[in-house]
Amino acid sequence: MTTQEVELFLETFQTLIMASLTPEGDPYASTAPYIRIGDDFYILISTVAQHGRNLLVHSKVSLLFVEDESQCVQPFARKRVTIEAEASEITRDEELFLHAIERFKAHFDSELVTSLSQMGDFHLFKLSVLRGNVVMGFGKAYHLDENLEVTAHIMGNHQRGHGHG
Protein backbone atom coordinates (compact mmCIF):
# COMPACT_ATOMS: atom_id res chain seq x y z
CA MET A 1 0.00 0.00 0.00
CA THR A 2 1.39 3.38 -0.97
CA THR A 3 0.51 6.91 0.06
CA GLN A 4 -0.35 7.61 -3.60
CA GLU A 5 -2.94 4.80 -3.54
CA VAL A 6 -4.54 6.39 -0.45
CA GLU A 7 -4.66 9.77 -2.23
CA LEU A 8 -6.20 8.24 -5.36
CA PHE A 9 -8.88 6.55 -3.23
CA LEU A 10 -9.69 9.84 -1.42
CA GLU A 11 -9.95 11.71 -4.74
CA THR A 12 -12.98 9.58 -5.68
CA PHE A 13 -15.13 11.29 -3.02
CA GLN A 14 -16.96 14.62 -2.93
CA THR A 15 -18.39 14.11 0.54
CA LEU A 16 -17.11 12.74 3.81
CA ILE A 17 -18.84 10.91 6.62
CA MET A 18 -18.09 12.54 9.96
CA ALA A 19 -18.62 11.35 13.50
CA SER A 20 -18.71 14.15 16.05
CA LEU A 21 -19.89 14.58 19.63
CA THR A 22 -23.01 16.45 20.65
CA PRO A 23 -22.68 19.09 23.39
CA GLU A 24 -23.89 16.35 25.78
CA GLY A 25 -21.10 14.03 24.60
CA ASP A 26 -23.23 11.65 22.54
CA PRO A 27 -21.89 10.37 19.20
CA TYR A 28 -23.45 11.79 16.05
CA ALA A 29 -22.76 10.74 12.45
CA SER A 30 -23.38 12.97 9.45
CA THR A 31 -22.06 13.80 6.02
CA ALA A 32 -20.80 16.96 4.32
CA PRO A 33 -19.22 18.02 1.03
CA TYR A 34 -15.55 18.85 1.45
CA ILE A 35 -12.47 20.23 -0.23
CA ARG A 36 -8.82 19.70 0.58
CA ILE A 37 -6.08 22.25 0.87
CA GLY A 38 -2.82 20.48 1.52
CA ASP A 39 -3.46 17.65 3.98
CA ASP A 40 -6.41 19.43 5.63
CA PHE A 41 -10.09 18.87 4.88
CA TYR A 42 -12.55 21.79 4.86
CA ILE A 43 -16.30 21.67 5.30
CA LEU A 44 -18.87 24.46 5.01
CA ILE A 45 -21.79 23.54 7.28
CA SER A 46 -24.69 25.17 9.08
CA THR A 47 -24.90 25.46 12.84
CA VAL A 48 -28.64 24.93 12.46
CA ALA A 49 -27.60 21.33 11.71
CA GLN A 50 -26.50 19.19 14.67
CA HIS A 51 -23.01 18.53 13.29
CA GLY A 52 -22.32 22.27 13.01
CA ARG A 53 -23.29 22.86 16.64
CA ASN A 54 -21.20 19.86 17.66
CA LEU A 55 -18.00 21.25 16.15
CA LEU A 56 -18.42 24.54 18.00
CA VAL A 57 -18.25 22.59 21.29
CA HIS A 58 -16.13 19.47 20.64
CA SER A 59 -13.22 19.65 18.22
CA LYS A 60 -12.41 15.93 17.94
CA VAL A 61 -13.93 14.21 14.90
CA SER A 62 -13.56 11.00 12.98
CA LEU A 63 -13.85 11.01 9.20
CA LEU A 64 -14.79 8.03 7.06
CA PHE A 65 -14.36 7.49 3.34
CA VAL A 66 -15.81 4.12 2.39
CA GLU A 67 -16.15 2.18 -0.84
CA ASP A 68 -19.61 2.23 -2.41
CA GLU A 69 -21.46 -0.93 -1.41
CA SER A 70 -22.55 -1.52 -5.00
CA GLN A 71 -18.85 -1.69 -6.00
CA CYS A 72 -17.63 -3.75 -3.07
CA VAL A 73 -16.68 -7.39 -3.57
CA GLN A 74 -16.59 -8.37 0.10
CA PRO A 75 -18.60 -6.37 2.68
CA PHE A 76 -16.40 -7.67 5.53
CA ALA A 77 -13.34 -6.15 3.88
CA ARG A 78 -14.85 -2.99 2.39
CA LYS A 79 -12.20 -0.48 1.28
CA ARG A 80 -12.07 2.52 3.59
CA VAL A 81 -9.98 5.31 5.07
CA THR A 82 -10.70 6.41 8.64
CA ILE A 83 -9.14 9.64 9.89
CA GLU A 84 -8.98 11.14 13.36
CA ALA A 85 -8.98 14.92 13.08
CA GLU A 86 -9.17 18.17 15.02
CA ALA A 87 -11.76 20.72 13.88
CA SER A 88 -11.18 24.47 14.04
CA GLU A 89 -13.36 27.25 12.71
CA ILE A 90 -12.00 29.55 10.00
CA THR A 91 -13.67 32.94 10.43
CA ARG A 92 -14.80 35.18 7.59
CA ASP A 93 -12.11 37.78 8.35
CA GLU A 94 -9.31 35.27 7.67
CA GLU A 95 -7.68 35.16 4.24
CA LEU A 96 -7.97 31.36 4.31
CA PHE A 97 -11.78 31.68 4.41
CA LEU A 98 -11.86 33.38 0.99
CA HIS A 99 -9.34 30.93 -0.45
CA ALA A 100 -11.35 27.92 0.75
CA ILE A 101 -14.63 29.36 -0.53
CA GLU A 102 -13.05 29.85 -3.97
CA ARG A 103 -11.99 26.18 -3.90
CA PHE A 104 -15.54 25.16 -2.93
CA LYS A 105 -16.89 27.23 -5.85
CA ALA A 106 -14.52 25.44 -8.24
CA HIS A 107 -15.67 21.99 -7.06
CA PHE A 108 -19.38 22.53 -6.43
CA ASP A 109 -22.24 24.78 -7.62
CA SER A 110 -20.60 28.22 -7.51
CA GLU A 111 -23.82 30.19 -6.95
CA LEU A 112 -24.93 27.88 -4.14
CA VAL A 113 -21.56 28.07 -2.41
CA THR A 114 -21.61 31.88 -2.68
CA SER A 115 -25.07 31.96 -1.14
CA LEU A 116 -24.22 29.52 1.67
CA SER A 117 -20.97 31.29 2.52
CA GLN A 118 -22.88 34.53 3.04
CA MET A 119 -25.43 33.02 5.42
CA GLY A 120 -24.71 33.71 9.07
CA ASP A 121 -25.39 30.15 10.21
CA PHE A 122 -22.86 28.61 7.79
CA HIS A 123 -19.38 28.15 9.19
CA LEU A 124 -16.16 26.98 7.58
CA PHE A 125 -14.27 24.34 9.53
CA LYS A 126 -10.76 23.07 8.92
CA LEU A 127 -10.33 19.41 9.83
CA SER A 128 -6.65 18.81 10.56
CA VAL A 129 -5.52 15.22 10.33
CA LEU A 130 -4.06 13.70 13.50
CA ARG A 131 -3.72 10.09 12.30
CA GLY A 132 -5.66 7.44 10.46
CA ASN A 133 -5.99 3.95 9.02
CA VAL A 134 -6.59 2.57 5.56
CA VAL A 135 -8.11 -0.84 4.78
CA MET A 136 -7.99 -2.12 1.20
CA GLY A 137 -9.07 -5.70 1.92
CA PHE A 138 -8.26 -8.62 4.19
CA GLY A 139 -4.67 -8.35 5.42
CA LYS A 140 -4.35 -4.94 3.76
CA ALA A 141 -4.65 -2.55 6.71
CA TYR A 142 -2.19 0.26 7.36
CA HIS A 143 -1.62 3.15 9.76
CA LEU A 144 -1.49 6.71 8.40
CA ASP A 145 0.31 9.66 9.95
CA GLU A 146 -0.83 13.31 10.12
CA ASN A 147 0.27 13.80 6.48
CA LEU A 148 -1.75 10.74 5.38
CA GLU A 149 1.52 8.93 4.69
CA VAL A 150 1.39 5.15 5.08
CA THR A 151 3.54 4.36 8.12
CA ALA A 152 3.01 0.71 9.06
CA HIS A 153 1.18 -2.45 8.09
CA ILE A 154 -1.34 -3.44 10.78
CA MET A 155 -0.77 -7.05 11.70
CA GLY A 156 -3.35 -8.98 13.68
CA ASN A 157 -2.99 -12.08 15.78
CA HIS A 158 -5.77 -14.03 14.05
CA GLN A 159 -6.54 -17.54 15.13
CA ARG A 160 -9.03 -19.87 13.64
CA GLY A 161 -12.45 -18.68 14.76
CA HIS A 162 -10.76 -15.76 16.56
CA GLY A 163 -9.96 -17.95 19.52
CA HIS A 164 -13.29 -19.80 19.51
CA GLY A 165 -12.43 -22.80 17.36
Side-chain angles (χ1 to χ4, degrees):
M1 170 60 45
T2 67
T3 300
Q4 183 178 13
E5 289 173 297
V6 173
E7 289 295 337
L8 289 173
F9 181 72
L10 290 174
E11 286 176 9
T12 66
F13 297 89
Q14 293 187 74
T15 60
L16 53 77
I17 298 169
M18 178 176 63
S20 58
L21 294 173
T22 67
E24 298 76 32
D26 296 321
Y28 185 83
S30 61
T31 185
Y34 77 95
I35 57 153
R36 285 183 66 191
I37 300 174
D39 293 325
D40 297 318
F41 296 80
Y42 291 80
I43 57 175
L44 180 65
I45 58 175
S46 172
T47 53
V48 171
Q50 183 66 54
H51 57 195
R53 293 191 308 274
N54 293 350
L55 296 187
L56 293 175
V57 177
H58 295 288
S59 62
K60 300 285 188 193
V61 296
S62 181
L63 310 178
L64 176 65
F65 302 87
V66 62
E67 178 183 29
D68 187 318
E69 281 186 342
S70 68
Q71 305 298 315
C72 132
V73 175
Q74 176 48 261
F76 284 98
R78 206 162 151 199
K79 294 177 183 176
R80 61 197 175 272
V81 172
T82 304
I83 297 170
E84 295 173 44
E86 183 86 25
S88 57
E89 184 177 2
I90 306 301
T91 59
R92 285 174 169 75
D93 60 347
E94 295 179 59
E95 188 175 314
L96 181 54
F97 183 90
L98 294 175
H99 177 62
I101 294 304
E102 289 305 314
R103 294 285 299 272
F104 268 104
K105 288 179 186 179
H107 284 77
F108 300 101
D109 181 320
S110 180
E111 288 181 30
L112 177 62
V113 171
T114 297
S115 178
L116 296 176
S117 68
Q118 293 171 351
M119 293 181 181
D121 62 304
F122 271 79
H123 296 250
L124 178 68
F125 290 94
K126 175 172 82 169
L127 309 176
S128 301
V129 176
L130 301 173
R131 69 194 65 79
N133 294 310
V134 57
V135 176
M136 289 294 159
F138 287 120
K140 299 178 183 174
Y142 303 86
H143 289 297
L144 302 172
D145 68 11
E146 69 278 3
N147 300 310
L148 297 176
E149 300 274 340
V150 175
T151 59
H153 189 207
I154 300 170
M155 304 295 287
N157 185 14
H158 299 291
Q159 300 174 0
R160 185 174 177 186
H162 292 276
H164 299 289

